[in-house]
Amino acid sequence: MKLTLDVENTVTHRDGKMHLDPFEPTNSLVMVGMLTDQGQCLTFPFDHADRPNQDDYFDRVQMMLDEATILICHNAPHDLVWLWESGFKYDGPVFDTMLAEYVMQRGQKEPLSLDACAQRYELSWQKQDTLKEYFKQGISTRDIPYNELTEYLVADLHATQELSDRQYAKLLSKEYAGLMDTVVLSNQVAVVLAKIYQRGFKVNESVLEDVRVEFENEKQTLTGELETMVHKLMGHRHVNLNSPEQLSQVIYSRKPIDKAMWQNNFDPYMSKELYKTTMKENSEIVYKKEPKQCDDCKGSGKVYRTRKDGSRYARPNKCKTCDGNGYVFVQSDRIAGLRFTAPDAKWVSANGFTTSKTHLDILEGFARQNNMSEAITFLNKVKRLSALDTYLSSFVDGINTYKKADGKLHVRLLQHRTATGRFSGADPNMQNMPRGGTFPVKKVFVSRWEGGKIMEADFAQLEFRAAAFLSQDGVAIEEVSTGFDVHSYTAQVITDAGQPTDRQSAKAHTFAPLYGATGYGRTAAEAEYYSHFTKKYKGIADWHSRLAKEALTTKMITTPSGRQYSFPNVVRKINGTVSYFTQIKNYPVQGFATADIVPVVLLEMERRLTDMQSCIVNTVHDSVVIDIHPDEEDKVVGLIKDINENLTDLINTSFQVKLNVPMLLEAKIGPNWLDTKDVA
């Protein structure tokens, strides 16, 4: 029996955030709705104000779940976790209409809500809007009039079922047939992501507080050091380090004359000559301000008032001109700041010039190449302070906000947020978790078991290996087959070009050309590597050209797995380049590597862990995190080794491809997510 299901639940507002999950003690399952493939529609209240404590419905719901051959939902992980946390059992297949729609959009990212889908497909059953006013008024789901809530739920069920029928018919058609395997894989993964969400990742609260204090102390120290540097660079100009506009002035030593008109003067593709002229005409140099003795008080900070008869009062007043300081600040003839030059119009921002991390990285590279020690120090401190702010708010505070009463962070992993199919996250987004010990947030995550450990199984150079296979570049294939350290090589090329770079910093440059980046706007040393990359990996460059031709001809890019990306508006531009070329190069690598290969391995790990207490608790890009029970460490290590030995066959079988590039999982184990060591 095909069974369409939807649940209605309460929502908790806490710490300025909305929590709609079943892990909040104040949340409850209000109603379950079910629609069979024979048209029988049933609603079961469990915690509605008009019909509370309807526990006698539990067995009826479970019986229908037992009889279901497939469960049809819109956003299946949400519904599944609510079922499981409410005591129901279901471990069969699902068809998630939201995921199916996402896959069939081929990267175009149209709205995926049930309401949007119903309108797009012109369904006979449209989603009801009758409840919005209740929610605006802050009325809880359980207090909405029973008949209105039931009507709302019934409409959702019928819309979901009709949508699934339409989608399935499309997937059987010639135009969409190639996407069926991708939809099936996505639905299988949805169940695993729901289980990860339910399990949660244990948080050591005392360590979390230690990290918060550590970050706050470093932030305070950095702020003081930067204020000292700013005073030296800018004279006595006040600078707010949290203001991109004022920070831009420190870095570039220029500011817009008319801020309201500033950006309107620039075309991102204007010539460099015109850009330089426009920039000079519409901005002015920032000069240092220096103290000068106050003319009114002659440096004393005090002035005497005079009576009408010309005599002076005995007691002086504070000088208003200098506020009693004895000096005023005047503009000097010395240029302030670091005096960087923004290379082109793409660096222009609303309030001056960009201060994004990417561009600051480029400037730092330039500074290293030219031995600008003061600039290197300043830029590093600015980036560090910005990162501290981000990690404090997004992770330290985010973990505190979303951590539940069970002491776990229930990790939400989403398949439908990115154009490529790569996982994203929410509450907080764990995909942005800082790696390594530079920002030691990961050490707050520990095993749920006393004596348990955390394992991270990480693919080695997955994107580069995927690109080697997709392009069939002989050099790249040989390198990954022989264990050549491509990141160290990248670092050496950039270093030899005059910009000292370590292996970790070089990783971004190794992968960047795979994702469509060029040497444009980079430092001379970095640009040297990008040019070197094109010459060395000529097969990858040729493959990029073939992708562009494929997109121009078919308006589509297809990966070996069958995943597709649509480029309906792609054209060849007047200068000979192809529009959307960055995405055309980027999508196949990310799609095949992290949207296809990683999920296949994730499913295999979940299957092999079924009979163990150890369990998957997170996945970040190309790694899978496992919480290991103290009695099962050897079993889990053996499991990873076995998967490694059969990794190529697993991928070949899943996608009916013949990989001629080795794939490798590198496993590390430790007492927390940060302090892990290689498995022997």
Side-chain angles (χ1 to χ4, degrees):
M1 174 181 67
K2 291 194 295 184
L3 185 64
T4 303
L5 178 135
D6 191 21
V7 304
E8 298 296 338
N9 54 267
T10 58
V11 174
T12 297
H13 296 271
R14 178 171 56 83
D15 299 328
K17 302 289 184 179
M18 186 172 70
H19 302 259
L20 66 165
D21 53 72
F23 313 111
E24 285 289 315
T26 55
N27 279 348
S28 65
L29 179 67
V30 178
M31 192 177 294
V32 174
M34 292 178 163
L35 176 62
T36 71
D37 49 6
Q38 299 300 312
Q40 183 184 19
C41 190
L42 300 168
T43 57
F44 301 97
F46 286 96
D47 187 33
H48 193 276
D50 296 339
R51 302 188 185 186
N53 303 320
Q54 299 292 320
D55 294 334
D56 54 317
Y57 288 141
F58 185 93
D59 291 340
R60 291 180 62 186
V61 172
Q62 186 60 60
M63 180 183 69
M64 294 187 72
L65 290 171
D66 292 341
E67 293 176 356
T69 55
I70 189 168
L71 207 60
I72 301 170
C73 310
H74 197 82
N75 191 10
H78 173 84
D79 294 324
L80 285 173
V81 174
W82 266 105
L83 287 178
W84 296 336
E85 285 295 299
S86 301
F88 297 104
K89 293 181 172 48
Y90 182 80
D91 201 27
V94 301
F95 184 87
D96 189 332
T97 51
M98 184 174 71
L99 278 180
E101 185 66 16
Y102 166 76
V103 171
M104 288 190 291
Q105 287 183 6
R106 297 169 167 140
Q108 291 303 293
K109 299 188 71 176
E110 294 289 330
L112 296 172
S113 68
L114 184 56
D115 185 30
C117 290
Q119 293 180 34
R120 204 158 43 243
Y121 281 78
E122 298 181 344
L123 302 180
S124 56
W125 284 85
Q126 295 287 318
K127 185 176 174 66
Q128 302 292 308
D129 291 331
T130 54
L131 304 189
K132 286 184 178 180
E133 288 303 315
Y134 290 111
F135 295 138
K136 287 180 182 178
Q137 296 171 36
I139 296 174
S140 172
T141 307
R142 67 184 305 277
D143 295 318
I144 293 172
Y146 181 79
N147 290 339
E148 290 188 47
L149 185 63
T150 302
E151 183 182 352
Y152 178 88
L153 182 55
V154 168
D156 276 7
L157 289 167
H158 281 282
T160 302
Q161 187 182 75
E162 187 179 358
L163 177 61
S164 71
D165 291 341
R166 297 276 197 93
Q167 290 174 332
Y168 199 74
K170 285 177 72 172
L171 289 167
L172 293 177
S173 69
K174 184 178 179 180
E175 182 182 356
Y176 290 92
L179 294 173
M180 180 65 85
D181 288 343
T182 304
V183 171
V184 171
L185 174 63
S186 298
N187 281 314
Q188 291 172 338
V189 172
V191 178
V192 177
L193 299 186
K195 291 178 178 178
I196 293 172
Y197 180 37
Q198 184 190 26
R199 289 168 187 150
F201 203 166
K202 182 70 175 179
V203 174
N204 186 320
E205 295 183 26
S206 65
V207 174
L208 179 63
E209 177 59 18
D210 290 343
V211 170
R212 186 193 66 77
V213 171
E214 180 183 333
F215 281 14
E216 290 283 7
N217 288 341
E218 186 183 358
K219 181 180 173 180
Q220 186 176 355
T221 301
L222 269 176
T223 300
E225 291 172 351
L226 279 167
E227 285 175 350
T228 300
M229 292 193 73
V230 166
H231 181 79
K232 180 183 176 184
L233 288 166
M234 305 299 289
H236 292 272
R237 286 183 176 273
H238 174 73
V239 174
N240 179 5
L241 291 171
N242 294 318
S243 166
E245 178 181 0
Q246 295 184 37
L247 186 59
S248 168
Q249 294 177 22
V250 177
I251 295 171
Y252 302 98
S253 303
R254 300 191 78 91
K255 64 179 181 180
I257 295 172
D258 185 350
K259 197 168 67 173
M261 293 297 296
W262 172 246
Q263 275 191 300
N264 297 333
N265 293 305
F266 296 93
D267 175 356
Y269 302 101
M270 69 196 315
S271 68
K272 287 197 173 183
E273 291 73 21
L274 180 58
Y275 162 69
K276 289 178 181 177
T277 303
T278 306
M279 186 212 27
K280 288 180 180 178
E281 289 177 351
N282 291 276
S283 67
E284 61 183 21
I285 297 173
V286 177
Y287 291 94
K288 291 184 177 181
K289 283 192 174 182
E290 303 290 1
K292 177 189 173 185
Q293 180 177 293
C294 178
D295 291 335
D296 289 345
C297 67
K298 309 301 183 194
S300 68
K302 300 174 183 178
V303 292
Y304 288 87
R305 290 185 299 159
T306 306
R307 299 186 179 91
K308 291 181 179 180
D309 61 4
S311 62
R312 194 172 69 176
Y313 285 99
R315 297 181 63 182
N317 289 346
K318 183 172 73 173
C319 178
K320 294 182 179 179
T321 303
C322 65
D323 198 32
N325 293 313
Y327 55 86
V328 293
F329 298 111
V330 295
Q331 186 166 293
S332 70
D333 59 355
R334 294 193 295 159
I335 298 176
L338 295 172
R339 308 189 192 189
F340 279 108
T341 300
D344 55 62
K346 292 182 179 179
W347 289 58
V348 174
S349 69
N351 298 311
F353 302 95
T354 180
T355 57
S356 71
K357 181 182 180 304
T358 300
H359 290 88
L360 295 187
D361 283 341
I362 294 172
L363 292 179
E364 187 193 340
F366 178 84
R368 291 188 181 280
Q369 199 169 1
N370 293 276
N371 296 315
M372 300 164 62
S373 58
E374 185 176 43
I376 295 169
T377 302
F378 182 83
L379 293 171
N380 269 323
K381 289 182 184 294
V382 167
K383 290 192 295 180
R384 179 77 183 180
L385 183 62
S386 176
L388 281 169
D389 275 332
T390 299
Y391 295 139
L392 268 169
S393 59
S394 298
F395 289 105
V396 177
D397 293 340
I399 292 168
N400 265 321
T401 297
Y402 290 104
K403 175 176 57 64
K404 304 304 177 184
D406 60 2
K408 300 186 186 79
L409 183 73
H410 291 266
V411 179
R412 284 183 63 201
L413 296 163
L414 309 169
Q415 295 185 77
H416 62 279
R417 290 275 182 90
T418 65
T420 62
R422 187 176 189 171
F423 295 163
S424 63
D427 306 335
N429 185 1
M430 298 286 277
Q431 304 302 294
N432 295 331
M433 177 66 65
R435 295 195 171 199
T438 313
F439 297 97
V441 181
K442 291 170 68 175
K443 71 180 179 181
V444 310
F445 293 99
V446 296
S447 176
R448 68 195 63 212
W449 294 288
E450 186 70 31
K453 293 182 180 178
I454 299 297
M455 168 188 281
E456 184 166 22
D458 198 351
F459 278 92
Q461 302 172 354
L462 178 59
E463 289 91 346
F464 190 79
R465 293 170 188 252
F469 168 69
L470 293 169
S471 66
Q472 286 298 292
D473 182 285
V475 175
I477 291 173
E478 182 181 358
E479 287 182 348
V480 298
S481 300
T482 57
F484 180 79
D485 191 341
V486 65
H487 300 312
S488 293
Y489 181 78
T490 303
Q492 191 61 53
V493 172
I494 297 174
T495 299
D496 290 346
Q499 182 179 321
T501 304
D502 59 24
R503 183 182 183 277
Q504 186 62 38
S505 301
K507 280 186 177 183
H509 296 294
T510 300
F511 293 132
L514 306 178
Y515 296 148
T518 67
Y520 180 79
R522 305 279 175 177
T523 67
E526 292 167 357
E528 175 68 24
Y529 171 75
Y530 285 76
S531 174
H532 185 84
F533 182 99
T534 304
K535 295 174 184 175
K536 182 182 181 183
Y537 304 110
K538 191 175 183 303
I540 294 178
D542 291 343
W543 173 59
H544 286 162
S545 297
R546 293 197 301 273
L547 285 173
K549 290 178 182 177
E550 181 184 345
L552 285 167
T553 304
T554 67
K555 308 295 184 182
M556 198 86 68
I557 298 291
T558 303
T559 71
S561 64
R563 189 178 293 273
Q564 295 178 345
Y565 303 104
S566 175
F567 296 94
N569 302 314
V570 64
V571 294
R572 189 171 296 280
K573 295 188 277 190
I574 296 175
N575 62 3
T577 61
V578 176
S579 60
Y580 305 101
F581 196 25
T582 298
Q583 294 92 325
I584 289 168
K585 291 185 283 187
N586 175 7
Y587 286 7
V589 176
Q590 274 205 20
F592 187 57
T594 54
D596 291 325
I597 292 176
V598 172
V600 163
V601 175
L602 183 71
L603 288 171
E604 181 67 10
M605 288 183 181
E606 180 69 23
R607 184 184 69 80
R608 292 179 178 238
L609 288 167
T610 300
D611 298 326
M612 300 188 200
Q613 295 184 77
S614 302
C615 55
I616 300 170
V617 290
N618 196 17
T619 175
V620 178
H621 299 318
D622 57 358
S623 70
V624 179
V625 184
I626 301 173
D627 188 349
I628 302 178
H629 189 276
D631 299 333
E632 297 175 345
E633 183 173 341
D634 291 342
K635 285 185 180 180
V636 177
V637 171
L639 177 155
I640 298 299
K641 288 181 178 178
D642 188 54
I643 289 177
N644 245 337
E645 291 173 2
N646 298 281
L647 193 52
T648 302
D649 290 339
L650 174 64
I651 297 168
N652 288 345
T653 302
S654 300
F655 302 124
Q656 292 80 54
V657 299
K658 185 65 178 176
L659 281 180
N660 60 342
V661 173
M663 294 290 172
L664 178 65
L665 280 170
E666 298 174 328
K668 296 182 176 183
I669 295 178
N672 56 65
W673 190 12
L674 177 65
D675 299 317
T676 56
K677 295 182 180 178
D678 293 334
V679 176

